[in-house]
Every structure is written in C-alpha cells, then in structure tokens.
Amino acid sequence: MQRQEFESQLKAENFDQALLLSKPVGYAMDEHAHPFEAWALIIEGDITLRVHGISTTYAAGDVFRLPAETPHHESAVPHGVTYLAGRKYPATA
C-alpha cells in the first residue's frame, strides 16, 4: 500500500493523524496491550507481532491492524522498522 492511500483510509475511518515511528535493530517488547486500536503501514524494515501465539512478520508496504487491548509481543530484531501508525481510541459512554 502507498502512504497517501493509507493516510486517506485512516482519515476515512476516523483514526488520529499518522505518526512516523522508528524502532532500531534489536528492538523487542514483551507482551503488552494498547488502549487504542492501531493501524500501521510499514515504510522500511520489518516488524514481527505475536498475537495469541501466532507470529506474523510485516515488511515494507504491508499494513496491520491491532484491536485495542489486544495482548501482543513485537520485535524488529533483524533490520529495525520505520512505520506510519494511526490510533483510534474506543468511544467512551
């Protein structure tokens, strides 16, 4: 997916403006969860997410979505990663 298309889709689905984030070679984070839904486009390198025991690697041009409060591990060990990430916080009652 291209950056412009990704940013348009974020806006259409009411995500916050995309943030450009980078993680260095060797980056790894143990299981954690975010209070927001994450939607990301990989720009460079790759990242591996492990959710419910299943690992998936995303490389440049790939996108992933992660629902709010989903426990996951993440790593960018071999190459590091740069990605655009949008966030959407759950509506409060």
XYZ file of all heavy atoms in Angstrom:
729
model
N 0.847 -1.173 0.000
C 0.000 0.000 0.000
C 0.897 1.242 0.000
O 1.962 1.252 0.611
C -0.905 -0.010 1.239
C -1.782 1.219 1.341
S -2.889 1.240 2.775
C -4.037 -0.015 2.301
N 0.453 2.268 -0.639
C 1.178 3.530 -0.699
C 0.781 4.441 0.459
O -0.335 4.363 0.977
C 0.905 4.231 -2.032
C 1.359 3.447 -3.245
C 2.862 3.256 -3.264
O 3.625 4.167 -2.981
N 3.296 2.040 -3.591
N 1.689 5.300 0.847
C 1.484 6.182 2.002
C 0.230 7.062 1.860
O -0.549 7.176 2.796
C 2.733 7.048 2.186
C 2.669 7.937 3.378
C 3.967 8.679 3.586
N 3.876 9.539 4.741
C 4.909 9.958 5.428
N 6.134 9.629 5.055
N 4.759 10.735 6.480
N 0.036 7.665 0.708
C -1.104 8.562 0.520
C -2.425 7.805 0.665
O -3.357 8.289 1.314
C -1.021 9.249 -0.842
C -2.095 10.285 -1.051
C -1.909 11.036 -2.366
O -1.114 10.655 -3.222
N -2.663 12.105 -2.538
N -2.504 6.612 0.090
C -3.709 5.788 0.206
C -3.952 5.414 1.676
O -5.084 5.469 2.162
C -3.560 4.524 -0.636
C -4.725 3.574 -0.535
C -4.478 2.262 -1.267
O -3.391 2.057 -1.835
O -5.401 1.421 -1.245
N -2.899 5.033 2.385
C -3.013 4.659 3.786
C -3.540 5.833 4.607
O -4.474 5.684 5.406
C -1.656 4.190 4.310
C -1.653 3.855 5.769
C -2.286 2.712 6.238
C -1.005 4.678 6.682
C -2.279 2.401 7.589
C -0.989 4.366 8.029
C -1.630 3.227 8.486
N -2.954 7.007 4.425
C -3.385 8.182 5.184
C -4.836 8.545 4.878
O -5.583 8.939 5.778
C -2.444 9.349 4.939
C -1.087 9.127 5.596
C -0.072 10.218 5.329
O -0.117 10.853 4.252
O 0.786 10.437 6.206
N -5.262 8.377 3.635
C -6.665 8.621 3.272
C -7.594 7.644 3.975
O -8.671 8.020 4.454
C -6.857 8.512 1.758
O -6.177 9.540 1.094
N -7.179 6.376 4.055
C -8.005 5.374 4.729
C -8.089 5.653 6.232
O -9.151 5.479 6.837
C -7.479 3.970 4.462
C -7.738 3.517 3.038
C -7.270 2.085 2.798
O -6.770 1.407 3.684
N -7.437 1.632 1.572
N -6.978 6.068 6.831
C -7.009 6.431 8.249
C -8.045 7.526 8.496
O -8.864 7.428 9.415
C -5.646 6.929 8.726
C -4.526 5.924 8.933
C -3.245 6.659 9.314
C -4.886 4.899 9.990
N -7.996 8.548 7.685
C -8.913 9.674 7.841
C -10.363 9.224 7.659
O -11.236 9.596 8.437
C -8.564 10.770 6.837
C -9.370 12.029 7.003
C -8.900 13.119 6.054
C -9.723 14.374 6.254
N -9.284 15.443 5.366
N -10.616 8.394 6.655
C -11.968 7.918 6.372
C -12.542 7.095 7.533
O -13.754 7.063 7.734
C -11.982 7.087 5.090
N -11.661 6.427 8.289
C -12.120 5.590 9.404
C -11.910 6.260 10.765
O -11.951 5.616 11.808
C -11.441 4.228 9.354
C -11.902 3.421 8.150
C -11.575 1.949 8.277
O -11.591 1.402 9.403
O -11.297 1.337 7.232
N -11.690 7.578 10.752
C -11.599 8.392 11.975
C -10.451 8.018 12.906
O -10.580 8.075 14.121
C -12.928 8.381 12.734
C -14.040 8.980 11.912
O -13.873 10.036 11.314
N -15.165 8.297 11.852
N -9.312 7.635 12.326
C -8.108 7.426 13.113
C -7.411 8.772 13.286
O -7.584 9.689 12.474
C -7.148 6.462 12.399
C -7.454 5.008 12.641
C -8.542 4.412 12.030
C -6.665 4.245 13.483
C -8.834 3.079 12.246
C -6.945 2.912 13.708
C -8.034 2.326 13.093
N -6.598 8.882 14.356
C -5.771 10.068 14.533
C -4.810 10.187 13.353
O -4.543 9.202 12.658
C -4.936 9.964 15.814
C -5.786 10.012 17.077
O -6.961 10.401 17.003
O -5.254 9.642 18.144
N -4.261 11.376 13.165
C -3.264 11.575 12.118
C -2.099 10.614 12.338
O -1.682 10.370 13.473
C -2.760 13.014 12.135
C -1.775 13.318 11.029
C -1.424 14.793 10.978
O -1.981 15.609 11.689
N -0.479 15.124 10.125
N -1.575 10.076 11.264
C -0.496 9.086 11.345
C 0.770 9.679 11.949
O 1.149 10.811 11.651
C -0.200 8.518 9.965
N 1.408 8.885 12.795
C 2.709 9.227 13.374
C 3.772 8.384 12.698
O 3.566 7.189 12.478
C 2.719 8.910 14.868
C 1.670 9.577 15.742
C 1.706 8.978 17.142
C 1.917 11.073 15.789
N 4.906 8.979 12.383
C 6.029 8.230 11.824
C 6.894 7.767 12.987
O 7.405 8.585 13.762
C 6.840 9.097 10.861
C 7.983 8.393 10.147
C 7.454 7.270 9.237
C 8.790 9.391 9.325
N 7.022 6.453 13.140
C 7.760 5.866 14.254
C 8.875 4.972 13.727
O 8.727 4.351 12.674
C 6.818 5.033 15.125
C 5.617 5.796 15.696
C 4.614 4.829 16.291
C 6.089 6.792 16.733
N 9.973 4.896 14.464
C 11.093 4.017 14.105
C 11.535 3.239 15.332
O 11.551 3.773 16.443
C 12.278 4.825 13.585
O 11.976 5.393 12.336
N 11.882 1.982 15.105
C 12.440 1.114 16.147
C 13.763 0.590 15.621
O 13.862 0.165 14.472
C 11.500 -0.053 16.458
C 10.078 0.365 16.844
C 10.039 1.163 18.111
C 8.598 1.526 18.469
N 8.487 2.398 19.604
N 14.819 0.601 16.459
C 16.153 0.210 15.991
C 16.306 -1.295 15.826
O 15.506 -2.081 16.341
C 17.065 0.724 17.105
C 16.207 0.631 18.330
C 14.815 0.994 17.859
N 17.364 -1.679 15.139
C 17.741 -3.090 15.047
C 17.836 -3.630 16.470
O 18.390 -2.974 17.355
C 19.100 -3.239 14.319
C 19.599 -4.665 14.409
C 18.982 -2.795 12.871
N 17.262 -4.793 16.701
C 17.306 -5.406 18.016
C 16.134 -5.064 18.907
O 16.021 -5.589 20.009
N 15.246 -4.179 18.448
C 14.087 -3.793 19.256
C 13.192 -4.997 19.537
O 12.900 -5.794 18.651
C 13.273 -2.724 18.509
C 11.911 -2.481 19.101
C 11.758 -1.686 20.231
C 10.777 -3.052 18.539
C 10.506 -1.468 20.782
C 9.525 -2.835 19.086
C 9.402 -2.042 20.207
O 8.150 -1.833 20.747
N 12.771 -5.129 20.780
C 11.814 -6.170 21.164
C 11.068 -5.695 22.401
O 11.659 -5.074 23.289
C 12.522 -7.479 21.443
N 9.783 -5.969 22.442
C 8.967 -5.620 23.601
C 8.140 -6.833 23.989
O 7.477 -7.431 23.136
C 8.060 -4.427 23.294
C 7.249 -3.984 24.517
S 6.328 -2.476 24.225
C 7.598 -1.276 24.561
N 8.214 -7.187 25.270
C 7.428 -8.305 25.776
C 5.939 -7.999 25.682
O 5.541 -6.887 25.322
C 7.810 -8.604 27.226
C 9.191 -9.244 27.351
O 9.629 -9.904 26.377
O 9.815 -9.083 28.413
N 5.144 -8.972 26.075
C 3.692 -8.834 25.936
C 3.185 -7.565 26.612
O 3.550 -7.256 27.745
C 2.987 -10.053 26.519
C 1.491 -10.008 26.254
C 0.789 -11.274 26.676
O 0.520 -11.414 27.891
O 0.532 -12.113 25.800
N 2.353 -6.861 25.883
C 1.725 -5.639 26.363
C 0.468 -5.400 25.525
O 0.214 -6.126 24.562
C 2.690 -4.451 26.251
C 3.065 -4.103 24.850
N 3.956 -4.860 24.101
C 2.648 -3.103 24.036
C 4.087 -4.312 22.898
N 3.294 -3.245 22.828
N -0.302 -4.409 25.875
C -1.503 -4.043 25.117
C -1.621 -2.523 25.104
O -1.062 -1.834 25.961
C -2.738 -4.674 25.748
N -2.326 -2.016 24.114
C -2.542 -0.578 23.995
C -4.029 -0.263 24.227
O -4.887 -1.068 23.854
C -2.178 -0.096 22.581
C -0.802 -0.460 22.157
N 0.321 0.149 22.656
C -0.346 -1.386 21.277
C 1.394 -0.376 22.094
N 1.015 -1.318 21.261
N -4.330 0.916 24.770
C -5.731 1.284 24.985
C -6.414 1.791 23.707
O -7.536 2.278 23.746
C -5.641 2.390 26.036
C -4.321 3.041 25.758
C -3.411 1.913 25.322
N -5.745 1.682 22.580
C -6.262 2.184 21.306
C -6.118 1.106 20.235
O -5.285 0.213 20.341
C -5.502 3.440 20.862
C -4.003 3.276 20.889
C -3.320 2.686 19.834
C -3.266 3.696 21.989
C -1.946 2.520 19.858
C -1.880 3.541 22.035
C -1.228 2.951 20.964
N -6.939 1.212 19.186
C -6.754 0.372 18.003
C -5.592 0.961 17.217
O -5.501 2.182 17.048
C -8.021 0.368 17.148
C -7.886 -0.463 15.890
C -9.146 -0.491 15.036
O -10.164 0.096 15.429
O -9.087 -1.105 13.952
N -4.698 0.115 16.755
C -3.555 0.572 15.963
C -3.691 0.062 14.532
O -4.112 -1.070 14.303
C -2.255 0.053 16.567
N -3.358 0.931 13.600
C -3.339 0.571 12.184
C -2.044 1.140 11.634
O -1.783 2.336 11.778
C -4.547 1.177 11.485
C -4.833 0.678 10.105
C -4.192 -0.296 9.412
C -5.878 1.140 9.263
N -4.772 -0.464 8.181
C -5.819 0.407 8.068
C -6.855 2.119 9.400
C -6.690 0.618 7.014
C -7.735 2.320 8.356
C -7.657 1.572 7.170
N -1.193 0.306 11.061
C 0.135 0.759 10.664
C 0.511 0.314 9.259
O 0.103 -0.755 8.809
C 1.178 0.244 11.656
N 1.294 1.148 8.606
C 1.884 0.879 7.296
C 3.394 0.830 7.478
O 3.998 1.794 7.958
C 1.521 1.994 6.303
C 2.293 2.009 4.985
C 1.989 0.773 4.141
C 1.994 3.292 4.206
N 4.009 -0.288 7.103
C 5.457 -0.427 7.221
C 6.107 0.337 6.066
O 5.795 0.104 4.897
C 5.884 -1.911 7.188
C 5.086 -2.741 8.202
C 7.389 -2.027 7.411
C 5.106 -2.251 9.616
N 7.023 1.243 6.399
C 7.731 2.064 5.410
C 9.072 1.424 5.040
O 9.457 1.377 3.876
C 7.974 3.491 5.950
C 6.658 4.159 6.349
C 8.756 4.338 4.948
C 5.682 4.385 5.222
N 9.788 0.931 6.056
C 11.120 0.363 5.836
C 11.403 -0.678 6.914
O 10.951 -0.541 8.055
C 12.154 1.489 5.931
C 13.560 1.103 5.591
C 14.487 2.310 5.635
O 14.169 3.335 5.012
O 15.527 2.216 6.311
N 12.146 -1.725 6.568
C 12.476 -2.772 7.523
C 11.301 -3.720 7.707
O 10.471 -3.887 6.807
N 11.222 -4.329 8.880
C 10.095 -5.216 9.159
C 9.872 -5.324 10.660
O 10.741 -5.008 11.457
C 10.301 -6.605 8.538
C 11.593 -7.262 8.938
O 11.807 -7.471 10.150
O 12.404 -7.568 8.052
N 8.670 -5.742 11.014
C 8.289 -5.936 12.410
C 7.526 -7.243 12.514
O 6.768 -7.597 11.604
C 7.460 -4.748 12.948
C 7.277 -4.847 14.471
C 6.126 -4.630 12.219
C 6.741 -3.564 15.088
N 7.746 -7.958 13.598
C 7.029 -9.196 13.854
C 6.144 -8.998 15.073
O 6.620 -8.538 16.119
C 8.003 -10.367 14.096
O 8.809 -10.535 12.925
C 7.254 -11.658 14.383
N 4.869 -9.301 14.904
C 3.909 -9.268 16.010
C 3.519 -10.693 16.343
O 3.266 -11.495 15.438
C 2.656 -8.487 15.626
C 2.833 -7.030 15.222
C 1.491 -6.415 14.866
C 3.497 -6.238 16.332
N 3.463 -11.002 17.631
C 2.960 -12.304 18.055
C 1.690 -12.068 18.861
O 1.711 -11.409 19.912
C 3.989 -13.057 18.887
C 3.537 -14.499 19.164
C 4.630 -15.334 19.779
N 4.743 -14.998 21.198
C 5.884 -14.837 21.853
N 7.038 -14.954 21.222
N 5.898 -14.558 23.135
N 0.581 -12.567 18.314
C -0.738 -12.409 18.923
C -1.343 -13.799 19.078
O -1.397 -14.556 18.108
C -1.648 -11.522 18.035
C -3.023 -11.374 18.649
C -1.013 -10.154 17.796
N -1.776 -14.126 20.287
C -2.369 -15.445 20.573
C -1.449 -16.576 20.124
O -1.903 -17.578 19.580
C -3.738 -15.582 19.921
C -4.694 -14.500 20.294
N -5.110 -14.258 21.584
C -5.324 -13.571 19.534
C -5.942 -13.236 21.599
N -6.089 -12.797 20.390
N -0.135 -16.392 20.315
C 0.830 -17.429 19.992
C 1.208 -17.535 18.526
O 2.027 -18.371 18.160
N 0.649 -16.687 17.672
C 0.937 -16.730 16.234
C 1.778 -15.511 15.860
O 1.374 -14.376 16.093
C -0.356 -16.764 15.405
C -1.157 -18.021 15.753
C -0.051 -16.710 13.906
C -2.554 -18.044 15.174
N 2.947 -15.763 15.269
C 3.836 -14.681 14.843
C 3.628 -14.377 13.369
O 3.573 -15.287 12.544
C 5.301 -15.080 15.061
O 5.573 -15.193 16.431
N 3.525 -13.087 13.066
C 3.386 -12.620 11.689
C 4.376 -11.483 11.481
O 4.452 -10.570 12.306
C 1.956 -12.125 11.407
O 1.024 -13.151 11.745
C 1.786 -11.747 9.947
N 5.127 -11.551 10.384
C 6.094 -10.510 10.059
C 5.531 -9.636 8.951
O 5.026 -10.130 7.945
C 7.437 -11.130 9.636
O 7.932 -11.909 10.737
C 8.464 -10.059 9.277
N 5.642 -8.325 9.149
C 5.164 -7.329 8.189
C 6.364 -6.559 7.668
O 7.183 -6.076 8.453
C 4.178 -6.374 8.862
C 2.980 -7.093 9.442
C 2.984 -7.540 10.759
C 1.861 -7.347 8.660
C 1.897 -8.210 11.293
C 0.766 -8.021 9.185
C 0.797 -8.448 10.500
O -0.277 -9.122 11.025
N 6.456 -6.440 6.334
C 7.586 -5.768 5.682
C 7.081 -4.524 4.950
O 5.875 -4.257 4.903
C 8.261 -6.734 4.712
N 8.007 -3.781 4.351
C 7.671 -2.537 3.656
C 6.495 -2.736 2.705
O 6.468 -3.681 1.916
C 8.887 -2.020 2.901
N 5.500 -1.851 2.836
C 4.294 -1.908 2.007
C 3.154 -2.660 2.662
O 2.008 -2.532 2.245
N 3.452 -3.456 3.692
C 2.404 -4.195 4.399
C 1.716 -3.300 5.420
O 2.306 -2.339 5.927
C 2.989 -5.395 5.154
C 3.519 -6.492 4.249
O 3.111 -6.547 3.066
O 4.333 -7.290 4.731
N 0.482 -3.652 5.751
C -0.255 -2.969 6.809
C -0.730 -4.010 7.819
O -0.901 -5.182 7.487
C -1.465 -2.170 6.272
C -1.029 -1.042 5.368
C -2.446 -3.075 5.565
N -0.929 -3.553 9.037
C -1.565 -4.408 10.046
C -2.477 -3.560 10.911
O -2.276 -2.365 11.059
C -0.547 -5.165 10.895
C 0.273 -4.311 11.832
C -0.225 -3.936 13.075
C 1.545 -3.894 11.485
C 0.530 -3.154 13.940
C 2.313 -3.131 12.347
C 1.799 -2.753 13.580
N -3.496 -4.226 11.446
C -4.401 -3.602 12.404
C -4.390 -4.449 13.658
O -4.369 -5.669 13.594
C -5.815 -3.513 11.839
C -5.928 -2.455 10.768
C -7.307 -2.355 10.206
N -8.130 -1.460 11.009
C -9.175 -0.797 10.526
N -9.543 -0.933 9.271
N -9.875 -0.010 11.314
N -4.416 -3.785 14.783
C -4.406 -4.451 16.068
C -5.491 -3.820 16.930
O -5.418 -2.629 17.254
C -3.028 -4.278 16.719
C -2.687 -5.124 17.905
C -2.686 -6.611 17.543
C -1.330 -4.729 18.453
N -6.537 -4.588 17.278
C -7.614 -4.031 18.102
C -7.102 -3.539 19.459
O -6.105 -4.050 19.988
C -8.571 -5.212 18.285
C -8.273 -6.125 17.141
C -6.791 -5.974 16.895
N -7.792 -2.575 20.025
C -7.453 -2.064 21.354
C -7.452 -3.208 22.359
O -8.238 -4.153 22.250
C -8.460 -0.998 21.775
N -6.544 -3.114 23.319
C -6.437 -4.067 24.435
C -6.043 -5.483 24.017
O -6.260 -6.434 24.761
C -7.727 -4.088 25.267
C -8.132 -2.744 25.834
C -7.090 -2.090 26.750
O -6.196 -2.772 27.280
O -7.168 -0.868 26.923
N -5.458 -5.655 22.824
C -5.002 -6.976 22.368
C -3.590 -7.233 22.873
O -2.649 -6.530 22.481
C -5.015 -7.053 20.826
O -6.336 -6.821 20.355
C -4.523 -8.409 20.351
N -3.402 -8.227 23.740
C -2.052 -8.546 24.193
C -1.200 -9.025 23.015
O -1.653 -9.835 22.202
C -2.262 -9.686 25.196
C -3.705 -9.613 25.585
C -4.418 -9.077 24.376
N 0.013 -8.517 22.930
C 0.904 -8.897 21.841
C 2.356 -8.635 22.218
O 2.640 -7.854 23.115
C 0.552 -8.131 20.553
C 0.770 -6.654 20.667
N -0.081 -5.820 21.359
C 1.758 -5.857 20.190
C 0.376 -4.579 21.303
N 1.488 -4.570 20.602
N 3.248 -9.327 21.521
C 4.690 -9.097 21.587
C 5.064 -8.463 20.251
O 4.427 -8.742 19.232
C 5.453 -10.423 21.698
C 5.137 -11.210 22.917
N 6.013 -11.326 23.957
C 4.056 -11.931 23.272
C 5.488 -12.088 24.898
N 4.296 -12.477 24.492
N 6.102 -7.647 20.250
C 6.562 -7.081 18.978
C 8.083 -7.038 18.956
O 8.721 -6.886 19.992
C 5.963 -5.691 18.732
C 6.204 -4.689 19.822
C 5.424 -3.405 19.630
O 4.181 -3.433 19.691
O 6.079 -2.360 19.424
N 8.641 -7.220 17.749
C 10.090 -7.151 17.608
C 10.472 -6.731 16.193
O 9.744 -6.978 15.238
C 10.740 -8.503 17.942
O 10.350 -9.479 17.018
N 11.617 -6.066 16.124
C 12.191 -5.642 14.845
C 13.675 -5.993 14.874
O 14.531 -5.183 14.548
C 11.965 -4.152 14.626
N 13.953 -7.209 15.306
C 15.324 -7.630 15.595
C 16.263 -7.559 14.399
O 17.321 -6.936 14.494
C 15.320 -9.039 16.243
C 16.734 -9.569 16.393
C 14.620 -8.974 17.591
N 15.944 -8.169 13.245
C 16.998 -8.247 12.234
C 17.300 -6.935 11.507
O 18.442 -6.703 11.134
C 16.496 -9.299 11.252
C 15.027 -9.341 11.432
C 14.772 -8.924 12.865
N 16.290 -6.073 11.306
C 16.508 -4.900 10.452
C 16.070 -3.579 11.056
O 16.327 -2.534 10.479
C 15.750 -5.059 9.122
C 16.059 -6.329 8.423
N 15.182 -7.377 8.346
C 17.186 -6.741 7.793
C 15.728 -8.373 7.689
N 16.952 -8.027 7.349
N 15.354 -3.611 12.151
C 14.706 -2.400 12.625
C 13.489 -2.139 11.754
O 13.221 -2.860 10.788
N 12.711 -1.113 12.094
C 11.497 -0.827 11.340
C 11.155 0.654 11.433
O 11.418 1.298 12.449
C 10.307 -1.689 11.850
C 9.896 -1.306 13.266
C 9.114 -1.618 10.911
N 10.603 1.174 10.354
C 10.009 2.506 10.320
C 8.600 2.324 9.797
O 8.398 1.614 8.807
C 10.804 3.459 9.406
O 12.139 3.571 9.923
C 10.162 4.837 9.355
N 7.630 2.931 10.494
C 6.242 2.749 10.085
C 5.394 3.967 10.423
O 5.742 4.756 11.292
C 5.647 1.489 10.717
C 5.651 1.453 12.231
C 4.522 1.799 12.958
C 6.785 1.062 12.938
C 4.525 1.754 14.347
C 6.801 1.012 14.313
C 5.659 1.357 15.017
O 5.661 1.313 16.400
N 4.297 4.107 9.695
C 3.278 5.113 9.988
C 2.211 4.425 10.806
O 1.740 3.348 10.428
C 2.635 5.631 8.703
C 3.398 6.646 7.894
C 2.655 6.915 6.589
C 3.530 7.938 8.677
N 1.812 5.024 11.902
C 0.804 4.405 12.755
C -0.317 5.389 13.055
O -0.063 6.528 13.438
C 1.426 3.928 14.051
N -1.536 4.920 12.874
C -2.712 5.674 13.269
C -3.305 5.020 14.501
O -3.186 3.801 14.689
N -3.947 5.815 15.335
C -4.567 5.305 16.551
C -6.033 5.749 16.597
O -6.346 6.870 16.210
C -3.857 5.859 17.789
C -2.422 5.449 17.889
C -1.744 6.136 19.048
N -0.362 5.675 19.179
C 0.491 6.148 20.071
N 0.115 7.101 20.893
N 1.716 5.654 20.128
N -6.853 4.850 17.118
C -8.255 5.188 17.334
C -8.622 4.699 18.727
O -8.544 3.496 19.006
C -9.171 4.552 16.299
C -10.614 5.035 16.442
C -11.671 4.314 15.621
C -11.351 4.024 14.223
N -12.503 3.445 13.484
N -9.008 5.632 19.572
C -9.389 5.279 20.932
C -10.872 4.905 20.960
O -11.679 5.505 20.235
C -9.119 6.451 21.880
C -7.641 6.648 22.119
C -6.865 7.395 21.246
C -7.027 6.037 23.209
C -5.504 7.554 21.461
C -5.661 6.202 23.425
C -4.917 6.954 22.548
O -3.562 7.096 22.760
N -11.220 3.906 21.781
C -12.630 3.500 21.877
C -13.490 4.674 22.371
O -13.029 5.493 23.157
C -12.637 2.375 22.905
C -11.216 1.926 23.019
C -10.365 3.102 22.640
N -14.712 4.709 21.880
C -15.653 5.737 22.323
C -15.995 5.477 23.794
O -16.114 4.330 24.216
C -16.914 5.702 21.481
N -16.099 6.520 24.554
C -16.468 6.372 25.966
C -17.960 6.613 26.113
O -18.550 7.434 25.411
C -15.687 7.369 26.854
O -15.892 8.692 26.365
C -14.209 7.045 26.847
N -18.557 5.893 27.024
C -20.014 6.002 27.221
C -20.368 7.189 28.056
O -19.644 7.741 28.773
C -20.529 4.718 27.879
